[in-house]
Amino acid sequence: MIKTEILHPQLLETLAKCGHKTNILIADSNYSFVTNSSPNATIVYLNFCVGEIKSTLILEKILKYINVEKAVLMESPADFVNEIEAEYKKLLPEAVEIAHVARNEFYSLAKSNDTLLVIATGENRRFANILLTVGVVA
């Protein structure tokens, strides 16, 4: 048995394949994982049930395995308080650029051939999708 926090073999294998500039999508439970991601992406289903497993937990754990240089979030309405964004900012290193794009642009980025990994979560909070760009090893 390996001594690591992540035990999911498919997730570990695909993380190991991610190089600099590869995208990783952590998607909430409302996201259309198959139709709005790259056909070349590996989809890892961690969406056991609604509300479990949270995308913040996934982000926290994979940050121990990769460096992130950029994070992209979907724009939310001006009157929407995006609590999960604040949680993401606490988890991401300060140097990580955080961008916001319109919904259709987000889908285009997720469908890009640069997206190698899609992690389907049970996260039920709105606007919880986050697209990470893998950075270099320091």
Side-chain angles (χ1 to χ4, degrees):
M1 176 109 173
I2 60 173
K3 292 165 49 172
T4 177
E5 290 189 53
I6 296 177
L7 298 176
H8 195 288
Q10 186 184 29
L11 181 55
L12 286 170
E13 175 188 7
T14 309
L15 275 175
K17 293 177 182 177
C18 292
H20 184 221
K21 299 294 184 186
T22 301
N23 290 331
I24 298 171
L25 172 63
I26 301 175
D28 65 33
S29 60
N30 290 308
Y31 197 86
S32 49
F33 313 115
V34 176
T35 59
N36 278 316
S37 59
S38 170
N40 300 322
T42 298
I43 302 174
V44 174
Y45 293 95
L46 298 181
N47 52 341
F48 179 67
C49 62
V50 175
E52 302 294 333
I53 296 171
K54 298 284 189 187
S55 57
T56 48
L57 175 65
I58 300 301
L59 178 60
E60 176 189 346
K61 298 304 178 188
I62 68 170
L63 285 174
K64 295 179 180 183
Y65 294 81
I66 61 163
N67 290 325
V68 173
E69 66 182 33
K70 182 178 181 180
V72 178
L73 300 168
M74 256 186 221
E75 289 178 346
S76 55
D79 62 343
F80 179 77
V81 178
N82 194 340
E83 294 174 10
I84 198 160
E85 180 178 348
E87 291 179 41
Y88 287 153
K89 286 180 178 178
K90 286 180 185 176
L91 292 170
L92 291 165
E94 283 185 33
V96 173
E97 173 191 351
I98 299 175
H100 296 82
V101 298
R103 179 184 307 269
N104 288 333
E105 185 179 349
F106 188 91
Y107 291 149
S108 292
L109 292 170
K111 289 178 182 180
S112 156
N113 285 332
D114 292 334
T115 303
L116 187 63
L117 174 60
V118 175
I119 304 170
T121 73
E123 183 63 64
N124 57 346
R125 291 179 279 184
R126 293 178 60 215
F127 299 100
N129 303 305
I130 185 168
L131 189 65
L132 307 171
T133 301
V134 176
V136 296
V137 177

